[in-house]
Amino acid sequence: MAFSVLLGALGAAQAATAADCTPKVSAEHLVAPGKLQMSTNPTLPPQQFIDEKGELQGLNVELGRAIAKKLCLDMEFVRMDMPPMLPALKAKRFDGIDTGMFWTEERSKLMFMIPYAQQAISIYTSPDSKLEISKFEDLAGHTVGIETATYQEKQAKLLNEKMVAAGMKPIEFRSFKTASETTAALKAGQVEAGINIDETARVLEEKGLAKIKVQGLNGTDITIDFIDRTLAEAVAKALVELNADGTYDKLFDTFKMTRLKDRNFAIRGPGPAQ
């Protein structure tokens, strides 16, 4: 099914939500009754991005809308950068985070994390770069752009620490808020390479903005995240239903992202003390 046709069909189906059924999550578990409010950082195509009309698009956007429909809630997205998301979630400014956050044991103690897909890390350069990179260690002594407060930043810096401990030259990291800023710095020659998730790197390469040199590094699951256990459990159940009715597969085919291996849609980790 064509991208626009699928999204049009999903959009029409999702237009009738709370008006046609009773919300499956009661008001005390939501920031606003009858609404599912989720934060997203729309700078990572094909996960979430802004199209030429200024509209939110992407796998996480459509999956969030499909979850809201299953729960008979109206979907509302809050656009914001990654760093303030967790503090804002704890402050209950919105219900959850829908931006493809990587699962880690540390994070699983701060919020209820539900894995729903997989991602790994790519290293890329400008299309005309002569820099030879076949493994992460080849970045030693070079200047690399990366998004701040992300899984890929943390993993890259841990790998860099191991390199330095082994006697190699350190990487000079330059942090940016978005993939677009990293790409702009790469184009301007301010950095020699960039690091981001595989899917975003592929989009950049398809647009002629980058050349992927290494991909599939340090793969892990990505999650949708909540501060309220009852809501998280309801969302996990909705994901099970979306998998059963074929919506999950349709969306992942459309956006060419990697499915969760075991399809075990459930909270992973202890979550915050309630």
Side-chain angles (χ1 to χ4, degrees), residues 76-92:
E76 289 188 0
F77 286 104
V78 179
R79 304 181 191 182
M80 64 189 307
D81 293 332
M82 282 288 293
M85 280 191 186
L86 183 53
L89 178 64
K90 288 182 176 180
K92 298 186 177 180

Side-chain angles (χ1 to χ4, degrees), residues 92-203:
K92 298 186 177 180
R93 286 181 52 194
F94 43 76
D95 298 300
I97 297 173
D98 184 17
T99 196
M101 185 171 286
F102 285 89
W103 188 93
T104 68
E105 184 175 355
E106 180 183 3
R107 285 175 174 172
S108 74
K109 298 174 183 177
L110 302 175
M111 51 193 160
F112 296 106
M113 307 186 79
I114 305 169
Y116 69 93
Q118 287 192 313
Q119 279 182 348
I121 300 169
S122 287
I123 301 170
Y124 56 92
T125 64
S126 59
D128 58 353
S129 174
K130 304 300 182 183
L131 187 61
E132 294 294 332
I133 304 171
S134 61
K135 56 186 181 300
F136 188 87
E137 288 76 8
D138 291 335
L139 293 174
H142 293 285
T143 304
V144 178
I146 196 165
E147 280 189 82
T148 187
T150 59
Y151 171 85
Q152 55 265 32
E153 181 187 46
K154 181 177 181 179
Q155 292 298 306
K157 290 186 175 181
L158 287 173
L159 290 171
N160 182 56
E161 288 176 5
K162 292 180 180 178
M163 287 166 43
V164 173
M168 301 178 70
K169 291 182 179 180
I171 297 169
E172 182 184 344
F173 288 108
R174 294 185 182 174
S175 299
F176 301 91
K177 287 185 177 181
T178 68
S180 297
E181 290 181 5
T182 305
T183 306
L186 189 65
K187 185 177 180 180
Q190 297 171 355
V191 297
E192 298 171 89
I195 292 177
N196 215 309
I197 60 173
D198 284 351
E199 287 81 1
T200 297
R202 282 199 289 270
V203 170

Side-chain angles (χ1 to χ4, degrees), residues 39-53:
S39 68
T40 192
N41 178 25
T43 63
L44 290 173
Q47 280 197 159
Q48 61 270 340
F49 59 97
I50 305 296
D51 65 14
E52 61 277 3
K53 297 180 181 179

Side-chain angles (χ1 to χ4, degrees), residues 13-57:
Q14 290 159 3
T17 55
D20 294 330
C21 58
T22 302
K24 296 180 181 179
V25 181
S26 56
E28 65 266 28
H29 298 289
L30 299 165
V31 171
K35 297 180 180 180
L36 181 60
Q37 298 180 333
M38 302 287 289
S39 68
T40 192
N41 178 25
T43 63
L44 290 173
Q47 280 197 159
Q48 61 270 340
F49 59 97
I50 305 296
D51 65 14
E52 61 277 3
K53 297 180 181 179
E55 300 293 329
L56 274 173
Q57 300 286 357

